[in-house]
């Protein structure tokens, strides 16, 4: 069975309103490493990129004032609460 969009396999596991996390590259003056970010999935957007359909998550990142747009295949549903 072929998925119709990149990230479609994750769309069955993640819904709008879920808390999600993803890894991102973090670089400051002293270190270069990956960090985990978390946020609330606001919307799932379908975009065409290089002639392929990709599902993108619109996320309100905790502690940020602007939305992040992360490919759905990079997201993991989380229940972690701090």
């Amino acid at each position: 069975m072929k998925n119709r969009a990149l990230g479609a396999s994750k769309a069955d596991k993640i819904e709008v309103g879920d808390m999600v996390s993803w890894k991102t590259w973090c670089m400051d003056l002293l270190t270069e490493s990956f960090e985990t970010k978390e946020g609330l999935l606001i919307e799932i957007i379908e975009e065409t990129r290089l002639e392929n359909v990709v599902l993108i998550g619109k996320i309100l990142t905790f502690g940020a004032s602007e939305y992040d747009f992360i490919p759905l295949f990079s997201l993991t549903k989380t229940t972690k609460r701090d």
Side-chain angles (χ1 to χ4, degrees):
M1 177 181 208
K2 186 176 179 181
N3 290 329
R4 62 179 190 83
L6 186 59
S9 62
K10 285 278 188 149
D12 294 337
K13 300 174 182 122
I14 299 175
E15 298 177 354
V16 171
D18 284 344
M19 290 191 319
V20 294
S21 64
W22 65 99
K23 299 271 188 201
T24 185
W25 184 252
C26 174
M27 191 165 105
D28 61 29
L29 296 175
L30 301 174
T31 62
E32 296 179 8
S33 63
F34 283 101
E35 70 177 11
T36 300
K37 288 193 172 186
E38 292 184 319
L40 182 66
L41 181 62
I42 302 296
E43 183 180 0
I44 296 175
I45 302 166
E46 196 172 284
E47 291 186 2
T48 301
R49 294 188 177 185
L50 299 174
E51 300 181 16
N52 294 308
V53 178
V54 180
L55 297 178
I56 306 292
K58 179 179 178 181
I59 302 166
L60 181 57
T61 305
F62 299 138
S65 60
E66 295 184 10
Y67 295 111
D68 283 318
F69 295 89
I70 307 294
L72 208 62
F73 62 82
S74 297
L75 299 177
T76 304
K77 185 175 178 178
T78 183
T79 56
K80 186 171 105 174
R81 309 258 318 171
D82 289 342

